[in-house]
Amino acid sequence: MLHGKKFILGITGSIAAYKAAYLTRLLKKQGAEVKIILTPYGKEFITPVTLATLSDNTVLTDFFKHDDGAWNSHVELGLWADAMIIAPATANTIAKMANGVCDNLLLTTYLSARCPVIVAPAMDLDMFQHPATQANLKTLESYGNHIIEPATGELASGLEGKGRMEEPEKIVTWLEGFLKKKQRFTGKKVLITAGPTFEKIDPVRFIGNYSSGKMGLALAEALVEEGADVSLILGPNLEVGNPRLHRVRRESGIGNRQAEIGRISLIHVVSGEEMYKEAHEIYPDMDVSIMAAAVADFKPLDPKESKIKGKEKGFSIDLVPNPDIAKELGKLKRADQLNIGFALETDEGLESALAKKHRKNFDLIVLNSLQDQGAGFGGDTNQITLIAKDNKPRKFELKSKKDVAKDILDEIVRIGNQDQKLFP
Ligand code: PMT
């Protein structure tokens, strides 16, 4: 299962560093390639010679090699690996990771890594339970990192409790499960529309809505974790609170620009017309298209180039329909493509969702209703009803948008394998 996989193993200054030697041996036995980065304190607990012998690779400890000054490129390492495992991860390293501190090679590599990052904490029970450590672990999870919870038992301090780094065998089993799951969308190209569209009235006003893009982004991240190549066409919302996306923005600026991060190709658009053009262009290449955007149904017929002056009597705006992206793509759909739509309803949800499913040729529609508390726009949660080919609604409980995204992916795989075998 792990044969041919490439891992960076980060080892920090904990007594559990000896377990990293076993972990290296188990990974190598399975045919994986392992490159080890040891922090300065890690070196106090286990020697580079031991680890170099077990991993068949030079152990990296510094930014430069001291003998010839050669540069150990953290960027290249971050791009090379299929996964980065930090085991054992001390409270200190976890805190630094959560806050973007990068004062050693392991931390700079972490910040550059585009692969999944897996953290196996090891520390004393009180350190682990401290609110600061718990908050830092939550922050890492919000970055999309995975935490392998420590086990309970005897600790180096002599105390008993939760804080022992998980056993190497269990970490390997976890990795196998993770990489197997990840393979479901490997090689699949997925288009996602997300966020609102802004339809220009004049240079200072627009017609828009409350979509934040969070649902679409959660889908994009879940898909990337499962190996997909995602094209995320995102409407003009600036505050989705996702650090990965902020990083893209810094690189690309705002506007009709495209940037790559991981396997998310991010395409910024403003209007429904722009979203339609971008989606239409790439659609033939896509295996799955998910329309999570709240596209304005109408746009001003005649947007003005200068600001409309305030008039006491008010004024009216003529509106014309925007392109219906989902419907147009539905007309082009081939038998080997899946189109997934959303329906945002305020009343008579099921009926409207079913009608939209047929009208827009969706294979699956995801209904979210503003009647359900915590569902729909803006927040971090959603409550959905899935309606697939059998037209039978299945309502889920209120969940984080991240978990909702996973339920949607499970359903996509299920329907994709119903009549044809589109997924492994
Ligand atoms: O972005 P968040 O704040 O996280 O909120 C998520 C969400 C509530 C926006 C999302 O879960 C959602 O429901 N998106 C669809 C919203 C919507 O516009 O629904 P609709 O019922 O009006 O449209 C039906 C479907 O047609 C949708 O897939 C929509 O993307 C698509 N559509 C609609 C109009 C149009 N001109 N083009 C389209 O592609």
Side-chain angles (χ1 to χ4, degrees):
M1 178 70 227
L2 300 183
H3 191 271
K5 297 285 176 216
K6 298 179 189 139
F7 296 107
I8 296 170
L9 176 57
I11 303 174
T12 70
S14 154
I15 186 68
Y18 77 91
K19 289 187 181 175
Y22 287 101
L23 180 56
T24 308
R25 211 175 61 166
L26 291 176
L27 293 172
K28 289 291 292 176
K29 258 189 169 174
Q30 294 235 15
E33 206 177 327
V34 183
K35 288 189 182 175
I36 293 177
I37 306 177
L38 198 53
T39 63
Y41 282 119
K43 268 199 280 188
E44 307 286 331
F45 288 88
I46 190 159
T47 71
V49 177
T50 308
L51 296 167
T53 311
L54 290 171
S55 67
D56 276 337
N57 264 318
T58 312
V59 171
L60 306 164
T61 52
D62 296 307
F63 294 113
F64 298 95
K65 287 185 190 131
H66 289 294
D67 46 354
D68 60 2
W71 168 244
N72 287 323
S73 170
H74 54 275
V75 177
E76 268 170 34
L77 279 166
L79 292 175
W80 169 84
D82 292 306
M84 178 174 188
I85 311 152
I86 303 174
T90 57
N92 181 45
T93 291
I94 289 168
K96 287 180 176 179
M97 288 163 69
N99 290 287
V101 177
C102 47
D103 59 2
N104 63 43
L105 184 65
L106 189 153
L107 292 162
T108 48
T109 306
Y110 165 69
L111 284 185
S112 311
R114 291 186 174 185
C115 58
V117 177
I118 297 124
V119 180
M123 63 197 78
D124 198 50
L125 78 164
D126 294 311
M127 290 173 82
F128 182 69
Q129 276 165 5
H130 196 283
T133 306
Q134 289 302 313
N136 289 332
L137 286 168
K138 283 220 162 61
T139 303
L140 295 189
E141 277 182 324
S142 77
Y143 298 160
N145 301 162
H146 304 272
I147 313 297
I148 300 185
E149 288 281 310
T152 301
E154 197 184 327
L155 300 163
S157 60
L159 296 171
E160 287 261 340
K162 189 169 179 178
R164 286 169 65 89
M165 182 183 122
E166 189 48 284
E167 295 306 318
E169 291 80 3
K170 291 206 174 144
I171 294 179
V172 169
T173 308
W174 189 97
L175 285 171
E176 284 172 340
F178 176 73
L179 291 170
K180 188 166 164 206
K181 188 173 168 229
K182 202 180 149 229
Q183 284 167 352
R184 293 196 306 182
F185 282 82
T186 299
K188 293 279 180 270
K189 293 198 172 110
V190 183
L191 158 68
I192 299 176
T193 67
T197 64
F198 287 178
E199 310 301 332
K200 180 176 167 182
I201 296 172
D202 68 15
V204 296
R205 304 175 180 98
F206 59 84
I207 296 170
N209 59 63
Y210 299 110
S211 172
S212 63
K214 284 183 181 178
M215 191 63 247
L217 187 63
L219 281 159
E221 298 221 306
L223 279 157
V224 162
E225 281 199 1
E226 294 215 32
D229 289 320
V230 175
S231 295
L232 175 63
I233 307 181
L234 183 64
N237 200 305
L238 309 185
E239 279 315 319
V240 291
N242 185 289
R244 296 181 67 193
L245 204 53
H246 286 313
R247 198 158 96 190
V248 174
R249 283 212 183 88
R250 279 205 305 277
E251 286 162 8
S252 66
I254 309 291
N256 285 339
R257 304 261 307 269
Q258 188 167 336
E260 292 273 350
I261 181 162
R263 287 183 305 267
I264 299 181
S265 165
L266 180 65
I267 303 159
H268 287 291
V269 295
V270 176
S271 66
E273 189 71 47
E274 286 168 10
M275 189 175 271
Y276 169 67
K277 279 191 188 133
E278 298 285 356
H280 187 261
E281 191 179 318
I282 59 177
Y283 181 74
D285 267 354
M286 297 294 134
D287 299 293
V288 179
S289 298
I290 308 177
M291 270 65 78
V295 186
D297 290 313
F298 296 95
K299 61 181 177 181
L301 169 67
D302 182 22
K304 303 294 179 208
E305 285 316 315
S306 44
K307 187 181 169 189
I308 300 170
K309 301 276 180 283
K311 290 178 187 144
E312 274 173 26
K313 285 186 188 160
F315 60 92
S316 53
I317 305 168
D318 286 331
L319 299 176
V320 289
N322 241 340
D324 188 327
I325 303 166
K327 194 172 165 195
E328 293 308 316
L329 300 187
K331 288 181 196 163
L332 304 174
K333 193 173 65 158
R334 300 187 307 265
D336 62 344
Q337 288 178 307
L338 293 174
N339 284 14
I340 321 302
F342 272 75
L344 178 64
E345 306 295 345
T346 51
D347 42 58
E348 291 163 7
L350 280 177
E351 235 172 88
S352 304
L354 265 173
K356 282 176 191 169
K357 176 172 172 281
H358 294 130
R359 199 166 63 242
K360 305 194 186 202
N361 197 14
F362 290 139
D363 299 282
L364 169 71
I365 193 153
V366 184
L367 163 65
N368 39 193
S369 170
L370 293 185
Q371 282 186 348
D372 292 322
Q373 194 109 47
F377 288 133
D380 291 320
T381 56
N382 205 357
Q383 182 160 24
I384 59 163
T385 300
L386 293 180
I387 311 173
K389 287 181 185 167
D390 59 7
N391 293 329
K392 287 192 188 135
R394 272 199 306 139
K395 189 162 185 173
F396 290 67
E397 59 198 40
L398 184 75
K399 294 183 181 183
S400 66
K401 284 186 174 165
K402 190 175 164 191
D403 287 340
V404 167
K406 287 181 189 158
D407 288 337
I408 295 171
L409 297 202
D410 287 346
E411 189 63 9
I412 293 175
V413 170
R414 194 183 71 78
I415 59 172
N417 286 345
Q418 249 172 2
D419 302 329
Q420 333 174 42
K421 185 98 181 76
L422 296 181
F423 300 95

